[in-house]
């Protein structure tokens, strides 16, 4: 019944995703790395921007992280008491749910899982894999149908850089051009995604913890650990949906699963930096607090002003149409005009 209630679900799942980042990294790389990874995720402009989205898209990273967590061997006091068959079912359910929520994850999730299984230890019991495989197959059948029919296929045809019957070499060139666009200085550090819906235009996708953590990982880990190799590969996989499309490049929403892996990579570097220098922890916390205070000011004060024409233009048009319908006591024209919008979406625009 309010804008807050609509936005709550995205923020809720974003907070849970940060918790899952901590739990996953604690299993893979220890508690200190897990704490830094969670902090980097919480202070990330990339994560914060989509935590306030009123769509299912931003919930995908939570289910991807949950699926990876259930793929890892259980640890701790009660680790071996958890039913393997149940863990296999939950892992499959979480991974497939991420793919249902946002079409780009239909590419990202299988490739990330394949990299995870190839590079990192995973559950090895027969009951787990039987449950996981059977559940995955059963849950994927409707998704496979949806992916080759209806709106999903039409959307793919409209956005893909290559379609059957078209030259391959131009598509390859476009792919690498799109991929490198996601490493632009302005995109990562200065203004972020050019789309006003995806960025406040005041900061880049990465926060200071991300920058220091990635630099620390590159400088102080001469022999990459398997976890770091997996996370780097998963980050590159996350960029594929942006590289394979021909619209609005670079695109921080299609590549949003990368937020998980950037945060975890940064956490590994931050833990190393904090271990090497005692003053690093307080300095990083102060720098992060100053940065996020500035970002919050930009987001809540400046951002509404610069995005008003784009974001609220559609709202105003719909509200005006609703006022006309109410004054004329005739809602048929309104219903026809906005027939393609879900009822809950129309309600959100009318109360926002």
């Amino acid at each position: 019944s309010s804008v807050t209630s609509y936005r709550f679900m995205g923020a809720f799942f974003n907070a849970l995703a940060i918790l899952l980042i901590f739990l996953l990294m604690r299993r893979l790389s220890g508690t200190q790395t897990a704490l830094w990874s969670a902090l980097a995720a919480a202070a990330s402009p990339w994560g914060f921007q989509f935590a306030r989205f009123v769509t299912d898209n931003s919930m995908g990273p939570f289910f991807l992280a949950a699926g990876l967590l259930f793929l890892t061997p259980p640890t701790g006091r009660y680790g071996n008491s958890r039913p393997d068959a149940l863990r296999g079912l939950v892992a499959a359910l979480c991974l497939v749910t991420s793919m249902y929520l946002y079409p780009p994850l239909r590419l990202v999730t299988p490739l990330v899982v394949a990299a995870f299984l190839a590079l990192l230890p995973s559950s090895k019991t027969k009951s787990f894999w039987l449950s996981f495989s059977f559940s995955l197959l059963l849950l994927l059948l409707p998704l496979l149908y949806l992916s080759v029919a209806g709106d999903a296929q039409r959307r793919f045809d409209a956005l893909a850089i290559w379609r059957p019957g078209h030259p391959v070499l131009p598509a390859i060139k476009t792919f690498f051009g799109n991929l490198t666009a996601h490493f632009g200085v302005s995109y990562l550090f200065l203004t972020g995604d050019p789309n006003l819906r995806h960025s406040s235009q005041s900061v880049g996708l990465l926060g200071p913890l991300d920058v220091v953590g990635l630099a620390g990982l590159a400088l102080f880990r001469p022999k990459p650990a398997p976890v770091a190799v997996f996370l780097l590969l998963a980050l590159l996989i996350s960029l594929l949906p942006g590289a394979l499309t021909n619209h609005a490049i670079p695109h921080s929403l299609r590549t949003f699963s990368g937020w998980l892996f950037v945060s975890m990579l940064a956490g590994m570097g931050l833990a190393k930096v904090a271990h090497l220098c005692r003053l690093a922890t307080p300095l990083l916390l102060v720098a992060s607090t100053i940065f996020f205070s500035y970002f919050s000011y930009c987001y809540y004060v400046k951002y509404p002003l610069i995005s008003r024409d784009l974001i609220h233009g559609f709202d105003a048009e719909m509200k005006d149409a609703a006022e006309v319908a109410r004054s004329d006591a005739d809602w048929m024209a309104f219903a026809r005009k906005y027939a393609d919008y879900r009822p809950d979406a129309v309600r959100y625009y009318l109360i926002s």
Side-chain angles (χ1 to χ4, degrees):
S1 60
S2 68
V3 173
T4 301
S5 63
Y6 271 92
R7 292 188 182 275
F8 172 78
M9 191 60 70
F12 177 71
F13 275 95
N14 182 269
L16 290 181
I18 294 171
L19 174 62
L20 289 177
I21 287 172
F22 170 80
L23 295 175
L24 182 59
M25 286 306 289
R26 187 173 64 175
R27 286 191 185 182
L28 297 177
S29 195
T31 301
Q32 289 300 314
T33 301
L35 287 170
W36 281 111
S37 298
L39 182 59
S44 167
W46 196 1
F48 186 86
Q49 183 76 26
F50 294 120
R52 303 187 74 247
F53 255 43
V54 192
T55 66
D56 299 337
N57 306 345
S58 58
M59 303 177 195
F62 162 80
F63 287 98
L64 175 55
L68 294 178
L69 180 65
F70 280 101
L71 281 178
T72 59
T75 57
R77 182 178 177 182
Y78 303 104
N80 295 327
S81 66
R82 299 170 186 171
D84 287 335
L86 179 60
R87 288 194 306 105
L89 169 63
V90 174
L93 182 62
C94 289
L95 292 171
V96 175
T97 299
S98 75
M99 298 164 70
Y100 273 97
L101 285 170
Y102 195 32
L105 290 176
R106 297 173 193 177
L107 172 65
V108 170
T109 296
L111 294 178
V112 166
V113 170
F116 185 92
L117 297 178
L119 295 170
L120 299 178
S122 57
S123 297
K124 293 181 171 61
T125 64
K126 185 177 180 180
S127 59
F128 175 88
W129 286 110
L130 284 174
S131 173
F132 178 74
S133 302
F134 178 76
S135 302
L136 196 65
L137 178 63
L138 194 64
L139 293 168
L140 279 175
L141 289 176
L143 184 63
L144 291 173
Y145 171 76
L146 291 173
S147 298
V148 297
D151 291 339
Q153 186 61 39
R154 286 193 293 271
R155 178 72 169 167
F156 174 81
D157 290 339
L159 295 179
I161 60 173
W162 179 82
R163 291 188 294 275
H166 290 246
V168 175
L169 290 179
I172 294 175
K173 182 179 179 181
T174 300
F175 170 80
F176 284 106
N178 289 349
L179 187 63
T180 55
H182 289 84
F183 294 96
V185 173
S186 179
Y187 178 70
L188 293 178
F189 307 112
L190 302 178
T191 60
D193 194 317
N195 188 335
L196 275 172
R197 294 181 185 273
H198 300 166
S199 170
S200 67
Q201 308 298 306
S202 300
V203 298
L205 262 67
L206 304 181
L209 292 182
D210 297 318
V211 175
V212 174
L214 294 174
L217 186 64
L219 293 173
F220 302 124
R221 284 188 178 269
K223 186 179 180 181
V227 175
V229 174
F230 160 71
L231 293 175
L232 181 59
L233 183 57
L235 174 59
L236 293 175
I237 291 170
S238 297
L239 301 180
L240 290 179
L244 290 169
T245 52
N246 57 17
H247 175 260
I249 304 300
H251 201 289
S252 57
L253 180 56
R254 288 187 199 125
T255 59
F256 183 42
S257 57
W259 164 66
L260 295 173
F261 308 116
V262 162
S263 300
M264 290 187 271
L265 280 168
M268 295 186 71
L270 289 166
K272 188 67 175 179
V273 171
H275 176 74
L276 293 174
C277 177
R278 291 184 179 181
L279 289 177
T281 297
L283 289 175
L284 286 169
L285 293 178
V286 170
S288 183
T289 301
I290 294 172
F291 170 82
F292 208 78
S293 298
Y294 168 73
F295 171 66
S296 298
Y297 167 76
C298 293
Y299 189 91
Y300 289 106
V301 178
K302 296 174 62 178
Y303 185 37
L305 299 177
I306 64 173
S307 63
R308 178 176 296 164
D309 291 340
L310 172 67
I311 305 297
H312 298 295
F314 179 79
D315 304 18
E317 179 185 343
M318 182 180 283
K319 289 177 181 178
D320 290 343
E323 288 293 342
V324 171
R326 182 164 59 180
S327 63
D328 294 345
D330 181 6
W331 289 88
M332 293 305 296
F334 181 89
R336 285 192 298 270
K337 184 174 182 179
Y338 299 105
D340 292 337
Y341 289 83
R342 298 185 321 194
D344 57 335
V346 173
R347 178 175 176 80
Y348 172 79
Y349 281 119
L350 292 179
I351 66 175
S352 64

